[in-house]
Amino acid sequence: MANEALRRFRNERRWTQAQAAERVCAQVRATTGRDPELELDANWISRLERGAITWPSGDYRAALCAVFQVDNEAVLGLHPKGATPYSGTPSTTETSAAPADDADSMIADAELSARLARHAAATNVNALVLEQLDSDLGRLAAMSTQPTNEPSVTDRHLLSTQAYGTGRHLAARQSLYQWQTPRHDLPGLVVEELAGVRGAVADVGCGNGKFVQRIRTQRPDLTVLPMDVSPGILAGIAGAVAADVQQLPIANGSLGAALAMHMLYHVEDQARAVRELGRVLAKGGIAIASTNSRTDKRELEDLWRRAAGDVLGIPEGPARVQLSARFTLEDAPAILGAVFADVRTIPLPGVIEVTDPAPVVAHLASYEAWADQMGVPFNETVERAREGVEETIHAEGAFRVTCLGGILVCR
């Protein structure tokens, strides 16, 4: 249920959601003598007003009461989950003016600081907090949005059991691309790059054999060697061998090509792995790798953090583990270039658009192996994310995810 009381109090003062958030943040500093656990933003106020958050932590509730000059949280429409929201008349006089549109009433950061200073007496914000506000705003703007670089992404036991013990989670992540425009046929692109290759090709980290199958179908003249650290995921792939790219059981210079598709981020010693790829290639051989950009699927990262925040009752939850953070499309050329003289990047941009939350939910749920590292109740966060996708589809007709992956061809 939407929190109309809080929205009404904010509109009385003709504050944008961002301005309200800044005041609450400053009030927390003034009353506690420390920085808030998490910085607040317009999105947090929006979620309060939508009813996505009904009972924020104590410091934030006290700050909201002080900023809006009320005696208790119920007047602001705040209540623990399951409790009945307050429905009485607010204690302050409502303005007859129409509420200003948030976008139209936005002001520059410098003006915001000045306006906060003029209202210091009314909001009990001390001078020191106001002096720090400008630098805080700059720091907030510069805060990294990079996903968590979690060491367990390279944990071989976890990879070979929970993450890739079967092909179920990998298939869920792969299936999301059915809804991408334009559709990129990665196995087909790899086959094209193998046009001049003869002899043997190793698919290192072959997963469920998606590339192996295509190469064997379209290039039956090539000998394909499927390899992966997880014996379980190799079930059903003919000729597959459990092996680690950091120590390949292949003789020097014996391959026409080596594939490392969306897997080098799982390798602890990437420099060693790249040297191994170079070692096993014959003269004139090629290595083909793939990964995602650090900007890939930002909408999913935002969705997860909002959902995690709602579950935890805080403005924004922790970032989820993102696999490709250790080997991004931007970083990969330098890592591969330590061994290969020529690294050519083929970017593959696209937009995923779904009208049913199921594919997005399946993608998020496929990170179950890293649930303990997420810092939030995993299943509850996935369910809240489902609700968020449904809300977006209802409001906008579809949920859209911007993608940027790529293939790197190394010689």
Side-chain angles (χ1 to χ4, degrees):
M1 181 183 297
N3 186 340
E4 296 298 337
L6 182 61
R7 191 192 312 273
R8 185 165 51 239
F9 271 98
R10 179 176 62 81
N11 285 335
E12 280 184 352
R13 291 154 175 78
R14 304 182 71 83
W15 291 346
T16 68
Q17 292 174 338
Q19 290 166 359
E22 290 297 339
R23 285 164 167 78
V24 173
C25 198
Q27 181 65 31
V28 170
R29 291 194 190 94
T31 56
T32 67
R34 55 181 170 77
D35 283 342
E37 295 175 1
L38 290 173
E39 293 289 357
L40 310 186
D41 59 10
N43 183 57
W44 186 73
I45 297 293
S46 173
R47 278 185 281 158
L48 282 170
E49 293 180 354
R50 295 197 321 266
I53 301 174
T54 63
W55 193 244
S57 63
D59 287 346
Y60 296 120
R61 296 199 307 273
L64 283 161
C65 289
V67 165
F68 288 106
Q69 298 178 288
V70 299
D71 294 331
N72 65 73
E73 303 99 332
V75 177
L76 292 176
L78 303 177
H79 59 90
K81 285 191 175 181
T84 302
Y86 176 82
S87 58
T89 304
S91 59
T92 58
T93 304
E94 292 187 18
T95 176
S96 60
D101 183 79
D102 284 351
D104 293 339
S105 62
M106 288 297 290
I107 60 174
D109 287 346
E111 292 176 270
L112 175 59
S113 293
R115 186 172 295 183
L116 279 171
R118 291 195 297 271
H119 289 282
T123 57
N124 298 318
V125 180
N126 65 35
L128 178 60
V129 169
L130 290 171
E131 290 172 4
Q132 294 175 340
L133 189 53
D134 277 330
S135 61
D136 288 345
L137 288 169
R139 179 171 57 83
L140 282 169
M143 282 178 68
S144 171
T145 56
Q146 288 301 299
T148 304
N149 189 348
E150 169 58 47
S152 63
V153 168
T154 63
D155 184 323
R156 182 164 176 171
H157 176 71
L158 184 147
L159 294 174
S160 61
T161 54
Q162 296 169 262
Y164 300 105
T166 69
R168 179 170 62 94
H169 292 319
L170 176 59
R173 290 196 287 278
Q174 291 171 337
S175 68
L176 185 61
Y177 292 98
Q178 296 177 55
W179 288 270
Q180 179 175 289
T181 303
R183 292 281 295 274
H184 298 296
D185 179 11
L186 265 67
L189 291 172
V190 168
V191 169
E192 290 178 10
E193 294 296 333
L194 296 176
V197 171
R198 300 291 181 268
V201 175
D203 186 355
V204 183
C206 67
N208 53 17
K210 182 178 179 181
F211 293 89
V212 171
Q213 181 179 2
R214 179 67 73 85
I215 297 169
R216 284 177 170 170
T217 300
Q218 295 189 221
R219 289 293 306 275
D221 58 304
L222 295 175
T223 300
V224 183
L225 308 174
M227 299 181 174
D228 201 283
V229 295
S230 173
I233 205 169
L234 296 174
I237 303 176
V241 175
D244 188 334
V245 68
Q246 296 170 103
Q247 190 173 1
L248 292 171
I250 300 173
N252 293 350
S254 58
L255 300 180
L259 310 183
M261 309 301 292
H262 279 85
M263 57 77 64
L264 284 171
Y265 39 73
H266 284 312
V267 178
E268 184 171 359
D269 190 341
Q270 292 173 353
R272 180 179 177 183
V274 174
R275 288 195 300 270
E276 278 290 274
L277 293 175
R279 178 186 66 79
V280 299
L281 289 178
K283 184 177 181 180
I286 66 171
I288 303 176
S290 65
T291 189
N292 295 322
S293 165
R294 62 172 62 105
T295 66
D296 180 65
K297 300 183 188 70
R298 278 283 173 81
E299 293 85 353
L300 292 188
E301 307 315 311
D302 293 342
L303 171 68
W304 180 266
R305 297 184 82 156
R306 289 196 303 271
D310 289 351
V311 169
L312 296 174
I314 57 178
E316 188 174 79
R320 69 176 182 145
V321 172
Q322 189 176 35
L323 306 182
S324 56
R326 295 189 67 257
F327 183 77
T328 68
L329 196 61
E330 293 78 11
D331 301 330
I335 297 170
L336 296 166
V339 171
F340 297 98
D342 180 35
V343 178
R344 174 167 53 93
T345 301
I346 305 173
L348 302 172
V351 176
I352 292 169
E353 184 173 304
V354 298
T355 55
D356 184 306
V360 172
V361 172
H363 178 94
L364 295 175
S366 74
Y367 283 71
E368 182 182 17
W370 292 278
D372 291 343
Q373 285 75 40
M374 298 287 194
V376 339
F378 184 77
N379 292 331
E380 291 89 336
T381 302
V382 171
E383 182 55 33
R384 176 61 191 124
R386 178 197 297 276
E387 295 170 357
V389 175
E390 289 174 343
E391 291 167 5
T392 300
I393 291 172
H394 179 74
E396 302 177 13
F399 184 84
R400 298 173 181 85
V401 180
T402 306
C403 302
L404 180 56
I407 293 176
L408 301 107
V409 182
C410 314
R411 300 181 187 275

